[in-house]
Amino acid sequence: MKNKITKILYNFMLHKNRDQIIRYGSFFGRLFYYLIPSWRKLVKKNLEILGADCSRKSVKNVFKNNFTSFVEIFFIPKIIDEQFIVNYVDIVNEEEVRDFIKNNKKYVIVSAFTGCWELAPTLFAKVFKTDVVVIGKKAKWDNFNDMNISLRNNRYVEYLQDIHNLKDIYGYLDNNVPVWLLLDHGIKKERSIFADLLGLRMFFNAAIATICIRKDIPAIPSFCIRENKSIKLLNYPPIFPDKKLDLRSRIRQFANGINAVYEDVIKKYPDQVLHLYKQLKRMGSENDTKTNSIS
């Protein structure tokens, strides 16, 4: 049954154009908005935590944006077209990033489940003419997972799953291939550190800080934001670990610097953040020994 569902979805969506994909994503979003009340409640709570508009319209926009992001995976093979980038992509800080890449061979790119997250690695790689290795999670259905890999991999992007040995990542960086890492504030405790976000103590992907500090390399925050039918490739200035600080302070400074950028993104585009799971968590005590969910 799972194989059949995956095959039908693949054959139905793969050859749709961008307008069609956006319409289907919006349709699925509205459908699940009405079908699953518990998701509506969760989305509203997450928006409250962000201090964002919690109206029915905003909650519904989250559903429409999130489901559009899900189905945009089928459009990845088509965004390699140069004309698509010229016509539909607005690149922020393009020259600054080009200069940075020219002078820095080793770096990571930090992004998040925000906006057009499925399109972001390929767009970045195509625009800045670099290979990218993306570290992601494995889907629960094996056949669905195989479909995801086939769609995400292309001549610019190599998609790897559930990499727990950082030496595998270091190998790519040592060969001057940047690694794409995702902020995930719903990450498991054993893979996280804590950093400030929205005035709270949030989970932060420990691998990001560990890699950059051990290798003494910077991170470029980059996000794809949906704007009607166009896409904004939103690049922020690189963040460098501060070697003058002791290790603990360096980790916190680096993580807080990245979170400050992400906070700017989610405050500007709260309805484009993935809110369909319990992702926002904070410290329950000042001594970093207890965590409680707040969503």
Side-chain angles (χ1 to χ4, degrees), residues 94-136:
E94 179 177 2
E95 293 307 315
E96 290 84 347
V97 175
R98 291 194 188 281
D99 289 341
F100 169 83
I101 292 175
K102 182 178 179 180
N103 296 305
N104 294 269
K105 301 302 181 184
K106 295 178 175 58
Y107 58 94
V108 303
I109 307 139
V110 176
S111 194
F113 293 105
T114 304
C116 312
W117 64 75
E118 288 287 0
L119 307 183
T122 299
L123 272 179
F124 186 96
K126 171 66 176 177
V127 166
F128 296 111
K129 297 179 172 56
T130 181
D131 293 333
V132 171
V133 172
V134 178
I135 310 299

Side-chain angles (χ1 to χ4, degrees), residues 236-247:
Y236 285 79
I239 297 171
F240 292 80
D242 189 344
K243 292 188 289 185
K244 296 178 182 178
L245 300 175
D246 62 77
L247 181 59

Side-chain angles (χ1 to χ4, degrees), residues 111 113 137 182-187 203-205 277 279:
S111 194
F113 293 105
K137 294 180 179 179
L182 285 163
L183 291 165
D184 181 1
H185 294 91
I187 196 168
F203 284 159
F204 182 92
N205 188 343
Y277 74 114
Q279 61 155 328

Side-chain angles (χ1 to χ4, degrees), residues 240-292:
F240 292 80
D242 189 344
K243 292 188 289 185
K244 296 178 182 178
L245 300 175
D246 62 77
L247 181 59
R248 183 180 178 85
S249 298
R250 195 183 317 165
I251 292 172
R252 179 151 297 183
Q253 169 266 340
F254 186 75
N256 286 342
I258 291 175
N259 267 0
V261 170
Y262 186 45
E263 184 170 322
D264 183 62
V265 174
I266 61 180
K267 283 183 175 180
K268 290 177 178 175
Y269 310 100
D271 61 350
Q272 296 199 35
V273 178
L274 177 59
H275 287 308
L276 296 175
Y277 74 114
K278 189 178 286 189
Q279 61 155 328
L280 297 171
K281 303 175 185 289
R282 66 174 168 86
M283 296 299 299
S285 61
E286 292 298 324
N287 59 6
D288 290 5
T289 59
K290 181 182 178 183
T291 60
N292 290 322

Side-chain angles (χ1 to χ4, degrees), residues 168-277:
D168 295 333
I169 297 177
Y170 294 156
Y172 286 98
L173 292 170
D174 290 340
N175 286 306
N176 298 330
V177 179
V179 175
W180 188 280
L181 298 171
L182 285 163
L183 291 165
D184 181 1
H185 294 91
I187 196 168
K188 293 181 179 179
K189 182 178 178 179
E190 59 269 22
R191 300 184 192 177
S192 66
I193 57 178
F194 298 98
D196 300 330
L197 182 70
L198 301 165
L200 301 168
R201 301 272 290 155
M202 294 279 192
F203 284 159
F204 182 92
N205 188 343
I208 298 173
T210 301
I211 292 167
C212 290
I213 288 170
R214 283 186 179 176
K215 302 297 287 185
D216 191 27
I217 59 175
I220 300 178
S222 184
F223 307 86
C224 266
I225 303 300
R226 186 176 298 104
E227 294 189 331
N228 295 320
K229 294 183 180 181
S230 64
I231 296 171
K232 179 187 290 186
L233 184 59
L234 182 56
N235 304 295
Y236 285 79
I239 297 171
F240 292 80
D242 189 344
K243 292 188 289 185
K244 296 178 182 178
L245 300 175
D246 62 77
L247 181 59
R248 183 180 178 85
S249 298
R250 195 183 317 165
I251 292 172
R252 179 151 297 183
Q253 169 266 340
F254 186 75
N256 286 342
I258 291 175
N259 267 0
V261 170
Y262 186 45
E263 184 170 322
D264 183 62
V265 174
I266 61 180
K267 283 183 175 180
K268 290 177 178 175
Y269 310 100
D271 61 350
Q272 296 199 35
V273 178
L274 177 59
H275 287 308
L276 296 175
Y277 74 114

Side-chain angles (χ1 to χ4, degrees), residues 55-117:
S55 66
R56 178 179 177 181
K57 179 180 179 181
S58 294
V59 172
K60 190 179 290 187
N61 282 340
V62 169
F63 275 80
K64 291 192 290 186
N65 277 320
N66 284 183
F67 276 89
T68 300
S69 299
F70 295 148
V71 298
E72 277 177 330
I73 190 172
F74 296 99
F75 196 70
I76 292 175
K78 300 175 185 178
I79 64 173
I80 295 175
D81 180 6
E82 190 73 41
Q83 199 58 44
F84 174 82
I85 295 175
V86 171
N87 292 340
Y88 295 103
V89 181
D90 175 27
I91 307 165
V92 179
N93 294 328
E94 179 177 2
E95 293 307 315
E96 290 84 347
V97 175
R98 291 194 188 281
D99 289 341
F100 169 83
I101 292 175
K102 182 178 179 180
N103 296 305
N104 294 269
K105 301 302 181 184
K106 295 178 175 58
Y107 58 94
V108 303
I109 307 139
V110 176
S111 194
F113 293 105
T114 304
C116 312
W117 64 75

